[in-house]
Amino acid sequence: MSNPDELLIAISAAVESEQSNQMSLTVVVGGAVITGRLAPEAMWRERVAEVLKSSDRLRPFSDVFARGPRGNRPGPGEAPTHLHFHLARILQGSLGIPETGGMYRVAIKDVSAWTVGDLSYFDQ
């Protein structure tokens, strides 16, 4: 979206204010459907750092997430620029990849469609 949806920004801001990390959302980004729960960026970074620390090969990268470089992160009173998904899956056909859910960071400006809720497919 060239003009990010104000409602989506408001949802992200509410999550960032740590009112809840239980907000389920499904977005379309570059043709991919991503579904999961939103998390505040600080919580998301902490969890990614924990996962990286548990890997001998990836441990050095954990500091990048743990120290939280400022980068494009909004300051107090600024609108969020990214959605931080946890327990998220990319939907492809009847599969959700990964099955257990992953950690995804999505630029709000790249979201072309969205809906509230976590979509699941079941083979019947």
Side-chain angles (χ1 to χ4, degrees), residues 51-71:
V51 170
L52 294 174
K53 279 181 188 176
S54 68
S55 168
D56 290 336
R57 292 185 326 215
L58 300 175
R59 185 175 296 126
F61 295 99
S62 67
D63 289 343
V64 172
F65 291 89
R67 72 174 173 258
R70 186 93 178 101

Side-chain angles (χ1 to χ4, degrees), residues 20-97:
S20 173
N21 67 352
Q22 300 298 309
M23 180 63 181
S24 295
L25 194 71
T26 299
V27 297
V28 178
V29 179
V33 177
I34 301 172
T35 189
R37 288 195 307 199
L38 295 178
E41 182 176 359
M43 184 190 104
W44 183 87
R45 284 178 174 270
E46 181 180 311
R47 179 66 183 126
V48 172
E50 288 172 7
V51 170
L52 294 174
K53 279 181 188 176
S54 68
S55 168
D56 290 336
R57 292 185 326 215
L58 300 175
R59 185 175 296 126
F61 295 99
S62 67
D63 289 343
V64 172
F65 291 89
R67 72 174 173 258
R70 186 93 178 101
N72 291 334
R73 288 175 35 205
E78 293 180 34
T81 58
H82 290 79
L83 302 170
H84 296 88
F85 284 92
H86 68 117
L87 303 174
R89 296 171 319 285
I90 297 174
L91 299 180
Q92 177 147 356
S94 61
L95 297 174
I97 305 167

